[in-house]
Amino acid sequence: MQFDVRAMKPMDRYELLLGTVLPRPITIVTTLSGNGVLNAAPYSLFNVVSHDPPVIMIAVLPHLERRLKDTAANVFETREFVVNLVPRSMAAAMNITNIDAPAGTNELTLAGLDVTASKSVKPPRIATSPTAFECRLLTSLSFNSDQAVLFGEVITAFVSDHLVIDAARGVVDTPRLDLFGAMHAARWYCSTADRFEMVRPTWKQWMDEGRV
Ligand SMILES: Cc1cc2nc3c(=O)[nH]c(=O)nc-3n(C[C@H](O)[C@H](O)[C@H](O)COP(=O)(O)O)c2cc1C
């Protein structure tokens, strides 16, 4: 079956696109408003898009009220954000930070998540996140006035000491991060425990093995 995506209702497109492009990594983004009010919200439309320069992208979809979500509004005000990676042990807390609480509610307090000072930016990082990236807004893209794709340059990367294998080369103990992924229907998740290994082929090896 082929879908005429442009003819679909926006929420049906959401179902189709987010029900197929997965698993997606999960972050809780911490930001400060211009007045210094701390905000936290989960985002899964995010990824590394460059390592040189080091750039992380987050897609902030429109708020149901057809306005910018607080994360994007704050980043446009202060140009800083922290991407806190979420291990399985923080899954329930992450879900609580998504609650539709009245403005001014501190979702991190509701979720029982503590923060600690970042090194290079004003928004704090989440104390129990094993990895956090302190970012400065580099540029952004906008398809509509109520949404934004934010591109942040990573200034400082935090990794819990016990998860660092080779500090000089940036090697971390990835399996022990115990991160999980976002799946379909806005409520399914997967773990990263089910892994398999595959070495990338080279043309020389292909030739040596007489495959051509
Ligand atoms: C696992 C998960 C992933 C999410 N990913 C996104 C996302 O990538 N983009 C988005 O706009 N909203 C996403 N949301 C919804 C936002 O977290 C939600 O709209 C939140 O209230 C936004 O808060 P803010 O206005 O403080 O930024 C996600 C929610 C969950 C639970």
Side-chain angles (χ1 to χ4, degrees):
M1 178 166 200
Q2 264 133 359
F3 290 85
D4 179 356
V5 176
R6 286 178 301 177
M8 293 172 80
K9 292 190 195 123
M11 282 321 287
D12 299 340
R13 284 188 211 131
Y14 177 98
E15 191 69 30
L16 178 66
L17 296 172
L18 278 79
T20 49
V21 182
L22 46 80
R24 295 178 303 280
I26 302 172
T27 168
I28 299 175
V29 182
T30 43
T31 54
L32 291 173
S33 70
N35 299 331
V37 178
L38 176 60
N39 186 71
Y43 283 85
S44 69
L45 296 169
F46 100 94
N47 222 310
V48 173
V49 290
S50 168
H51 70 286
D52 191 15
V55 181
I56 282 181
M57 169 285 299
I58 305 168
V60 183
L61 303 177
H63 192 281
L64 288 175
E65 297 162 1
R66 303 301 310 201
R67 61 168 172 84
L68 269 185
K69 291 187 184 182
D70 294 339
T71 297
N74 285 354
V75 171
F76 285 136
E77 276 186 354
T78 63
R79 304 188 69 84
E80 294 182 339
F81 58 93
V82 179
V83 165
N84 303 273
L85 276 293
V86 185
R88 273 294 283 276
S89 56
M90 276 173 53
M94 177 284 294
N95 211 22
I96 293 171
T97 64
N98 180 64
I99 197 165
D100 54 344
T105 309
N106 184 333
E107 294 92 350
L108 290 169
T109 308
L110 284 185
L113 291 172
D114 292 329
V115 292
T116 187
S118 295
K119 183 164 182 284
S120 318
V121 298
K122 287 204 183 90
R125 63 178 170 85
I126 295 175
T128 44
S129 279
T131 314
F133 298 104
E134 301 175 14
C135 301
R136 273 202 205 114
L137 184 66
L138 197 60
T139 189
S140 65
L141 276 174
S142 220
F143 310 120
N144 272 313
S145 58
D146 55 10
Q147 66 186 105
V149 185
L150 309 170
F151 295 86
E153 181 179 8
V154 181
I155 310 296
T156 295
F158 165 82
V159 180
S160 295
D161 287 352
H162 70 287
L163 297 170
V164 177
I165 292 176
D166 183 340
R169 295 181 49 243
V171 183
V172 302
D173 193 347
T174 302
R176 282 183 65 209
L177 293 175
D178 199 24
L179 303 179
F180 66 105
M183 297 286 285
H184 52 296
R187 64 196 163 96
W188 282 97
Y189 297 91
C190 65
S191 87
T192 51
D194 183 15
R195 293 179 288 274
F196 62 94
E197 189 177 14
M198 202 161 54
V199 177
R200 295 185 186 188
T202 63
W203 186 246
K204 180 176 181 314
Q205 180 191 14
W206 198 264
M207 298 285 281
D208 291 350
E209 289 172 7
R211 298 217 199 178
V212 280

